[in-house]
Amino acid sequence: GKARMEWTWVGVAVACGVAIVVYGVLRVAVGKSGSRSGEGTAPLRPLSDFDRIVVVGTTCSGKSTTATRIGSKVAGMKVVELDAIYWAPGNWQPATPEDFERNTREAIAPPAALPSSDSSTPQPLPPHRWVAAGNYRQVRGMLWGGAQLVLWLDPGFWTNFRRLLSRTAHRCWTKEPLWPAVTVTTTDSTTTTTTTPGNVEDWKTALKLWSDESLIHWFFKTYWRHKEQIPESVAQYPHLHLIRITDPRQLDLWLNPVQPTCSAPTAE
């Protein structure tokens, strides 16, 4: 009956999960999870060198969180979360390609000139600064063509996988709404605020391990692919600088560099 079908579905999900984890273990064991060379002893160029940044990486590598941290560190840095632009609020409905491209273009558009009371005195334009989080190929040319830095978050397989399981469990349990829409309508006499509920992750979708709808499935599908494709893609944009972060401590040091303690520079 119905109960038997439900247990069959759970059994299929568990079997797929075990197969996926075994596959991941084998990939790591044979050394195909990506070389960690380049963790690097050479100092990284500082954050202050860059005004326009794209943060990339696989699912749960920390893209949105890192973009938000960067936005809090740099004055005038606009944070653009591509997931929030792509997914319409309510029921995981993707934006149309036209809407996605238009809204992304508007999000990274140069700022307008500051208003001036003296029209004879030209006002300098505010800095054109933004940090975008996301891997969407559809808008890659737009973003990467205007960016100065690609920040690649590439933690170890198990670190990434542990984050994914923890975040998925938290969101499914708490029903945390993702990217709700707030619309403010103002008339002559009243202001009305309308909130459209955000998207919510659920266990049923998370455990569809055979489907692209499951982030766990998507993680295993794209983790090793990103290790090959990101360096190759960056090479197509000669103006871009690439920084690969393989350890959270490395990211912390880059965002919060230790100031030298010496009181005077020394001669080379």
Side-chain angles (χ1 to χ4, degrees):
K2 183 178 179 181
R4 183 176 180 181
M5 289 183 64
E6 290 180 351
W7 279 108
T8 300
W9 185 88
V10 171
V12 170
V14 171
C16 289
V18 171
I20 286 175
V21 171
V22 170
Y23 172 69
V25 171
L26 293 175
R27 287 293 298 264
V28 173
V30 299
K32 293 185 178 180
S33 62
S35 169
R36 295 180 68 82
S37 62
E39 284 191 332
T41 55
L44 303 178
R45 285 181 58 182
L47 173 60
S48 57
D49 281 1
F50 308 103
D51 287 332
R52 293 176 296 283
I53 302 169
V54 180
V55 185
V56 300
T58 196
T59 302
C60 280
S61 57
K63 298 183 293 295
S64 298
T65 301
T66 300
T68 300
R69 293 177 68 184
I70 292 173
S72 69
K73 293 285 183 182
V74 182
M77 179 73 80
K78 183 178 182 180
V79 179
V80 179
E81 188 175 359
L82 294 179
D83 280 341
I85 298 176
Y86 183 77
W87 293 108
N91 192 28
W92 295 106
Q93 293 299 314
T96 65
E98 295 77 15
D99 287 345
F100 185 42
E101 292 179 15
R102 182 185 66 253
N103 293 336
T104 301
R105 186 176 295 107
E106 291 175 356
I108 64 170
L114 296 173
S116 173
S117 58
D118 182 2
S119 59
S120 63
T121 304
Q123 295 295 308
L125 289 174
H128 185 199
R129 292 176 178 152
W130 50 260
V131 52
N135 299 314
Y136 291 87
R137 185 176 301 178
Q138 181 181 338
V139 293
R140 178 181 294 170
M142 181 192 313
L143 291 171
W144 291 29
Q148 299 165 327
L149 168 68
V150 168
L151 182 65
W152 176 16
L153 304 181
D154 186 28
F157 174 87
W158 293 113
T159 298
N160 219 148
F161 189 47
R162 183 177 66 250
R163 289 178 181 175
L164 172 61
L165 295 180
S166 175
R167 190 186 76 174
T168 299
H170 172 78
R171 287 180 173 179
C172 290
W173 181 262
T174 63
K175 304 298 183 184
E176 174 187 353
L178 304 174
W179 320 299
V182 178
T183 305
V184 179
T185 305
T186 303
T187 63
D188 293 338
S189 57
T190 60
T191 299
T192 304
T193 302
T194 304
T195 302
T196 304
N199 299 282
V200 176
E201 293 186 19
D202 62 82
W203 290 110
K204 184 176 181 180
T205 303
L207 293 176
K208 291 172 65 176
L209 303 179
W210 57 88
S211 169
D212 283 353
E213 295 179 24
S214 167
L215 283 180
I216 298 174
H217 171 94
W218 189 252
F219 169 78
F220 279 89
K221 181 177 180 178
T222 61
Y223 180 81
W224 290 278
R225 181 198 301 172
H226 283 150
K227 287 182 176 292
E228 298 176 356
Q229 291 184 347
I230 289 176
E232 294 174 356
S233 298
V234 171
Q236 299 175 18
Y237 297 83
H239 70 284
L240 280 177
H241 187 74
L242 174 65
I243 290 179
R244 179 188 178 209
I245 299 293
T246 58
D247 188 295
R249 293 167 296 181
Q250 186 185 14
L251 179 63
D252 290 339
L253 287 174
W254 186 67
L255 292 173
N256 303 284
V258 178
Q259 299 297 324
T261 57
C262 56
S263 57
T266 58
E268 292 292 336

